[in-house]
Amino acid sequence: MRGDWIKYLRPLGITLLILVVLEIFSTALLPMLGLTKYRIPFNVLLVLYLGFKIESPYTSLFILILQYTHSFFTIEGWEMGTIAGVMICIVISYLKDLLHLSSSVITIIITQMFQFLWFFIVAILFYIREESFAYIVEKFWRFVPESIVISLLAPLFFSVLDAIWRTESDRALGDSV
């Protein structure tokens, strides 16, 4: 089992490349369109995908790598997102038997619910650090439209990421059917 992590290098590398392209889109192109206060949090979508679909002992490390890559494009720290992402993945792991992303509508609703949980966790961490609600309230009103966009994009992105993160055992199972 020493080389078990190697099978994750290719999908993680492709996912990081997708994240960088989406971050460039969000930080460069959206302001050109006049949307200067909004940034679509694609990193949250990728972390939620990892929580829902990837069963690996390395998931926390993947979240750290995604959040650290995301931090190159924002002033927000990677540490709060990593803590929130790991906590959400723990909640998802406990609820995995109850949560089935069987349709686009269900995927959109569940993604939206977990984004609110993400915001709540980050808001608590930010409040502990700053002891001020002003930024949290301002951020919440920007978060709502951003989270709706992410939720609507979730079914499409999850299907793309399913193709990327397909393991060898998944391929063998799919080939035999």
Side-chain angles (χ1 to χ4, degrees):
M1 292 262 184
R2 264 190 254 175
D4 187 40
W5 59 273
I6 292 175
K7 70 180 179 183
Y8 296 111
L9 287 180
R10 183 179 155 278
L12 181 62
I14 294 170
T15 303
L16 288 174
L17 182 63
I18 290 171
L19 176 62
V20 168
V21 169
L22 293 173
E23 291 288 352
I24 290 171
F25 168 77
S26 186
T27 57
L29 296 179
L30 288 180
M32 287 175 41
L33 299 173
L35 302 170
T36 57
K37 292 192 176 197
Y38 295 98
R39 294 202 52 236
I40 302 173
F42 292 108
N43 62 311
V44 175
L45 182 63
L46 295 175
V47 170
L48 288 175
Y49 175 82
L50 291 175
F52 287 125
K53 303 281 186 138
I54 306 302
E55 293 183 19
S56 168
Y58 307 110
T59 304
S60 296
L61 181 61
F62 299 156
I63 292 169
L64 172 65
I65 293 168
L66 285 172
Q67 288 303 119
Y68 194 74
T69 303
H70 167 70
S71 73
F72 294 140
F73 297 93
T74 182
I75 59 172
E76 296 173 359
W78 56 270
E79 63 282 343
M80 282 196 246
T82 302
I83 292 169
V86 170
M87 289 176 74
I88 284 177
C89 285
I90 290 169
V91 171
I92 289 171
S93 71
Y94 283 116
L95 298 176
K96 200 167 243 181
D97 292 336
L98 300 173
L99 301 173
H100 298 286
L101 305 178
S102 56
S103 72
S104 294
V105 174
I106 298 295
T107 302
I108 291 168
I109 292 169
I110 291 174
T111 303
Q112 186 66 36
M113 288 175 14
F114 278 100
Q115 285 184 88
F116 273 105
L117 180 60
W118 182 291
F119 180 82
F120 181 70
I121 292 169
V122 170
I124 289 171
L125 293 171
F126 188 80
Y127 181 75
I128 290 170
R129 187 176 78 184
E130 299 295 324
E131 296 181 5
S132 170
F133 278 115
Y135 177 75
I136 295 169
V137 172
E138 177 188 336
K139 179 81 173 155
F140 178 77
W141 294 114
R142 287 193 316 239
F143 160 78
V144 172
E146 294 169 351
S147 68
I148 291 171
V149 169
I150 285 297
S151 294
L152 293 173
L153 292 174
L156 172 70
F157 274 90
F158 283 12
S159 65
V160 169
L161 292 168
D162 279 341
I164 293 169
W165 281 89
R166 231 176 133 185
T167 61
E168 292 300 322
S169 62
D170 292 339
R171 287 188 195 117
L173 187 65
D175 292 341
S176 66
V177 174

